[in-house]
Amino acid sequence: MAKLIDGKAISAAVRAEIKENTQKLIADTGVTPGLAVIIVGTDPASQVYVRNKRLACTEVGFYSEAYELPEETTQEELEALVDRLNADEKIHGILVQLPLPKHLDEHSILLRISPDKDVDAFHPYNVGRIMIGDYAFLPCTPAGVMELIRRSGIDCTGKECVVVGRSNIVGKPMAMLLLQANGTVTICHSRTRDLAEVTRRADILVVAIGKADFITGDMVKEGAVVIDVGMNRRADGKLTGDVDFASVEPVASYITPVPGGVGPMTITMLMQNTLTAAKNTLK
Ligand code: NDP
């Protein structure tokens, strides 16, 4: 039976540390970390994420601003807001909630955010810094996974690490962080031949594909650490991961549940990045 990696408990511990460090920063320097969150349109899931991000800011003692812009916002209006926030000293992190409505050019908006305030770490400048291992921020979800691994006492050194999924926000940076932690890393995707043959080699298996219960027990090596990034809604509205928990849990040594695994870490790492951004302004 696998040990459960409790993302809620680990997230609470990290947030408590962030809160303490924030109080210290304010006391020592008078600087309060500030996060601006921009949402365009009325996507209900995005609205929930934005609300949770603001609540997290309050919890750790940050200043926050939320911009809820109408669906018909133009590229120029959004760019003008980003420019204004780039110049605002109270704001250390800017987050544009994705996806943006189709008429807006997501890539050019992300490029517009100052790399120093890019707390999602999506700007090509920050992506490049991650490649060379000299970074200010890490993308929140992969950073959260690494925190779960580290705080569970798991050492990646020399381990076979398999990442399933190669998106820019999860799979690719995830692979880079496991590499920097001295894992031997393989990335799989939809064109991988014989996926199960590769996943069965993994000592540490990270799954981020967006397909409910896709990885089953027969695809996992006995004693593997299994991290499930997936978040899928079942027909009954329940949240489920990319890993079939029932068949994988008896085989794995550690496993993250969904919900309550990777999910809670993502916003926590956003708070961490905002604190780092605030501290970096003092350098
Ligand atoms: P994307 O859709 O951007 O990428 C999915 C990746 O999975 C692609 O690289 C794709 O391959 C690969 N893939 C799809 N089907 C298969 C298959 N049958 N076999 C092998 N690989 C496959 O998704 P994201 O990376 O954005 O998200 C992945 C999951 O993680 C989603 O469920 C999402 O909701 C969740 N997520 C959770 C977060 C959290 O906070 N917990 C944060 C972000 C995402 P190819 O490139 O060849 O198409």
Side-chain angles (χ1 to χ4, degrees):
M1 229 175 70
K3 278 193 195 140
L4 220 56
I5 298 180
D6 184 345
K8 272 194 206 156
I10 294 176
S11 171
V14 178
R15 281 193 199 189
E17 290 167 19
I18 295 170
K19 185 174 178 178
E20 200 183 315
N21 289 329
T22 299
Q23 283 164 348
K24 191 168 177 329
L25 181 72
I26 296 169
D28 292 350
T29 68
V31 172
T32 303
L35 177 69
V37 183
I38 304 172
I39 178 172
V40 185
T42 53
D43 177 54
S46 294
Q47 285 177 329
V48 171
Y49 292 140
V50 168
R51 195 172 59 237
N52 288 341
K53 283 165 188 170
R54 290 207 79 188
L55 285 173
C57 282
T58 308
E59 185 187 332
V60 298
F62 289 0
Y63 169 72
S64 74
E65 292 179 2
Y67 294 87
E68 302 191 21
L69 307 181
E71 183 83 25
E72 57 276 12
T73 301
T74 64
Q75 185 81 14
E76 292 69 33
E77 286 166 337
L78 188 53
E79 287 180 357
L81 175 59
V82 169
D83 290 348
R84 183 162 73 65
L85 294 169
N86 277 339
D88 187 337
E89 287 184 0
K90 292 194 304 303
I91 297 299
H92 305 99
I94 302 170
L95 186 142
V96 177
Q97 187 66 45
L98 303 180
L100 287 171
K102 295 235 174 329
H103 67 279
L104 295 171
D105 179 352
E106 213 164 85
H107 183 66
S108 84
I109 292 293
L110 295 181
L111 276 179
R112 195 110 182 171
I113 297 172
S114 161
D116 295 335
K117 298 190 177 188
D118 170 40
V119 284
D120 256 339
F122 290 165
H123 193 291
Y125 174 78
N126 286 322
V127 175
R129 289 188 67 179
I130 293 162
M131 282 292 288
I132 57 173
D134 166 34
Y135 43 77
F137 314 116
L138 292 173
C140 301
T141 301
V145 170
M146 292 310 292
E147 206 61 43
L148 290 178
I149 290 175
R150 259 194 302 271
R151 287 181 188 244
S152 302
I154 297 157
D155 183 3
C156 297
T157 306
K159 303 264 171 66
E160 290 285 343
C161 302
V162 173
V163 179
V164 190
R166 58 172 166 179
S167 70
N168 288 333
I169 61 168
V170 188
K172 282 186 206 160
M174 189 68 248
M176 198 49 59
L177 299 190
L178 289 165
L179 182 63
Q180 279 163 12
N182 299 317
T184 301
V185 183
T186 306
I187 309 177
C188 300
H189 44 80
S190 67
R191 311 289 178 90
T192 297
R193 257 186 291 143
D194 201 350
L195 180 66
E197 188 269 324
V198 185
T199 56
R200 272 197 295 269
R201 292 205 302 259
D203 300 309
I204 299 175
L205 178 63
V206 182
V207 188
I209 60 180
K211 294 205 163 129
D213 308 327
F214 186 84
I215 299 288
T216 46
D218 58 320
M219 300 169 81
V220 175
K221 181 163 104 175
E222 187 79 40
V225 173
V226 179
I227 309 284
D228 187 354
V229 180
M231 287 205 303
N232 312 289
R233 284 267 165 223
R234 283 212 184 98
D236 63 5
K238 284 212 177 108
L239 203 61
T240 186
D242 291 344
V243 172
D244 175 39
F245 191 89
S247 67
V248 172
E249 190 267 345
V251 184
S253 60
Y254 288 86
I255 189 166
T256 58
V258 178
V262 175
M265 292 303 290
T266 298
I267 294 184
T268 297
M269 300 322 285
L270 175 69
M271 300 298 115
Q272 179 67 63
N273 282 349
T274 306
L275 176 60
T276 302
K279 284 185 176 168
N280 285 348
T281 60
L282 300 165
K283 280 184 182 166

